[in-house]
Amino acid sequence: MGEVDESFFQETSHRPKLCTIEAENIPLIDLSPVLTSDPSNTSSAITNLVTEIGDACKNWGFFQVINHGVPSTCRENIEKASRGFFLQPTEEKRKVSRDKDNPMGFYDTEHTKNVRDWKEVFDFVVENPTILPASHEPGDMELKELVNQWPQFPTGSREACEEYARGIEKLSYKLLELIALSLGLSSKRLNSYFEDQTSFMRLNYYPLCPIHHLALGVGRHKDSGALTVLAQDDVGGLEVKRKTDGEWIQVKPTPDAYIINVGDIVQVWSNDQYESVEHRVVASSKKERFSIPFFFNPSHYVMVEPLEELTSEESPVKYKAYNWGKFNTTRNLSNFKKLNVENIQIYHFRIHNM
């Protein structure tokens, strides 16, 4: 990670607590009613599942899923590839470094909230290539292609990543449909927004951190996309800001489970029925950590705004429409350098109704 410098230091109020609280009550949801053809899975079981999903989205913004349909071998293969890649010498990893022109690949100086994260990442898009705006400037209509670059070692990395991505993509669509149902919409209501998806996957590596009391693996943030599907190892480190009291709660790893959180887009679509919740990752001085988030994002041309079915005279529109591609491109600027201004957030589009 290079020399320890002040770019890693969190403001005093945002530094991790040395004593953390484990969240035993983040919902753990069994998806088997919608993933099996068992006739005993009645409509009442699916109705109960939809209710569980809705309650979790409303009360936590986070939940875990088991019996999710993703083969364990897929996860084992990508976890092995991730560990093999990150434990190589830095000069090998930098052969596939990302930059402003091609943000897919390896990176070890990412910033969150203008503070450097104590981590290394490797990013790849699900659709190769993926189309995004070339710049964040509103009047610039030029598009660019994001193309994956794959490391030579460990062998089989690309195949492991692509196979896993398809498994998680399938799970993401199922979760999207359950969330739609929980909002009183038809199950396929949101699917068309993802026809030319800009989803991407990240391999995270959090090395041992000698300043774990000053730095964070990832600083506090909310995810700007629709859904995030996270595989974390048995080390843990993810913390969620509990809505009831603002306390940072550690999410205890559950074997073979995925951690799901709704992002800003779902918050806007739902007109604030569901909320994207702040979370962060603490660093450890005792054990390195690996995790794999999948960021399920819509097409670049999608205009994000509250869904008509979820607004009314009693619940007026709370957000102005914004273009996802431009929003995403603007957000990504702060990943590469410290900015002098706060990065764009969905509350910048909030309508203040009288």
Side-chain angles (χ1 to χ4, degrees):
M1 295 293 293
E3 293 183 10
V4 175
D5 60 48
E6 292 187 4
S7 67
F8 288 108
F9 294 2
Q10 294 285 329
E11 294 177 23
T12 304
S13 60
H14 297 301
R15 289 175 184 171
K17 296 180 180 179
L18 297 182
C19 180
T20 57
I21 304 171
E22 287 186 353
E24 300 293 347
N25 55 344
I26 281 184
L28 181 65
I29 298 175
D30 186 343
L31 295 183
S32 57
V34 293
L35 293 174
T36 68
S37 55
D38 187 344
S40 65
N41 285 327
T42 62
S43 59
S44 64
I46 295 176
T47 299
N48 291 339
L49 173 59
V50 169
T51 300
E52 280 189 86
I53 295 278
D55 289 345
C57 291
K58 189 174 296 182
N59 298 327
W60 278 97
F62 271 80
F63 56 95
Q64 300 181 80
V65 294
I66 56 174
N67 295 324
H68 39 67
V70 180
S72 58
T73 52
C74 281
R75 181 162 171 174
E76 290 165 5
N77 290 340
I78 195 171
E79 287 175 341
K80 182 179 178 181
S82 175
R83 183 176 291 271
F85 173 75
F86 285 119
L87 297 184
Q88 294 181 105
T90 300
E91 57 267 24
E92 286 297 316
K93 291 180 281 192
R94 286 185 174 157
K95 290 179 180 178
V96 287
S97 286
R98 75 184 198 185
D99 55 35
K100 287 183 181 179
D101 295 323
N102 184 11
M104 295 299 111
F106 172 74
Y107 203 59
D108 61 356
T109 55
E110 188 163 72
H111 290 70
T112 302
K113 300 284 188 185
N114 286 332
V115 181
R116 188 173 168 188
D117 296 329
W118 192 272
K119 68 175 180 181
E120 298 177 6
V121 306
F122 178 85
D123 290 344
F124 62 96
V125 287
V126 175
E127 297 294 341
N128 188 28
T130 286
I131 308 299
L132 276 176
S135 82
H136 66 289
E137 298 293 341
D140 185 355
M141 296 294 104
E142 185 180 350
L143 300 174
K144 68 178 179 182
E145 290 186 345
L146 302 187
V147 180
N148 290 330
Q149 49 177 340
W150 298 104
Q152 187 175 356
F153 299 105
T155 56
S157 296
R158 175 175 183 170
E159 291 77 12
C161 288
E162 290 179 339
E163 180 185 23
Y164 180 81
R166 291 307 173 193
I168 298 297
E169 177 188 31
K170 185 177 180 181
L171 171 60
S172 298
Y173 272 110
K174 182 55 64 179
L175 292 166
L176 188 73
E177 291 169 8
L178 290 167
I179 287 171
L181 289 170
S182 75
L183 288 166
L185 306 168
S186 65
S187 63
K188 306 289 186 183
R189 172 65 175 86
L190 306 173
N191 291 31
S192 63
Y193 294 123
F194 296 82
E195 287 179 358
D196 298 304
Q197 63 179 301
T198 57
S199 305
F200 74 98
M201 186 162 284
R202 167 167 290 179
L203 309 181
N204 281 323
Y205 170 51
Y206 302 94
L208 297 181
C209 180
I211 56 165
H212 66 284
H213 57 298
L214 300 174
L216 287 167
V218 181
R220 73 196 193 286
H221 67 286
K222 298 182 178 185
D223 291 348
S224 59
L227 294 177
T228 302
V229 180
L230 174 72
Q232 69 167 345
D233 62 15
D234 59 359
V235 176
L238 173 66
E239 292 188 342
V240 174
K241 196 170 188 178
R242 188 162 54 192
K243 291 178 67 174
T244 54
D245 58 7
E247 189 72 54
W248 285 106
I249 304 296
Q250 189 171 80
V251 180
K252 185 177 180 180
T254 300
D256 198 39
Y258 287 100
I259 299 168
I260 316 300
N261 64 281
V262 299
D264 289 344
I265 290 176
V266 167
Q267 179 170 335
V268 174
W269 279 340
S270 72
N271 206 34
D272 281 353
Q273 287 191 46
Y274 298 160
E275 182 184 353
S276 174
V277 174
E278 270 196 326
H279 50 288
R280 67 184 187 182
V281 176
V282 296
S284 173
S285 62
K286 298 178 180 178
K287 200 168 183 181
E288 60 195 8
R289 176 180 184 259
F290 298 84
S291 71
I292 308 169
F294 177 99
F295 300 99
F296 195 39
N297 297 333
S299 319
H300 73 86
Y301 48 78
V302 164
M303 296 299 295
V304 181
E305 58 189 322
L307 299 171
E308 185 179 358
E309 302 96 312
L310 302 180
T311 61
S312 64
E313 196 171 318
E314 296 76 29
S315 180
V317 172
K318 296 181 179 178
Y319 296 92
K320 294 179 288 187
Y322 63 88
N323 174 259
W324 163 246
K326 288 294 186 183
F327 183 94
N328 184 49
T329 302
T330 304
R331 283 277 292 233
N332 288 343
L333 289 175
S334 70
N335 289 347
F336 292 91
K337 60 183 178 180
K338 185 171 182 175
L339 303 178
N340 294 322
V341 296
E342 181 190 24
N343 205 357
I344 193 169
Q345 308 287 341
I346 57 169
Y347 67 72
H348 292 133
F349 298 90
R350 183 178 286 279
I351 297 172
H352 299 283
N353 296 303
M354 299 298 290

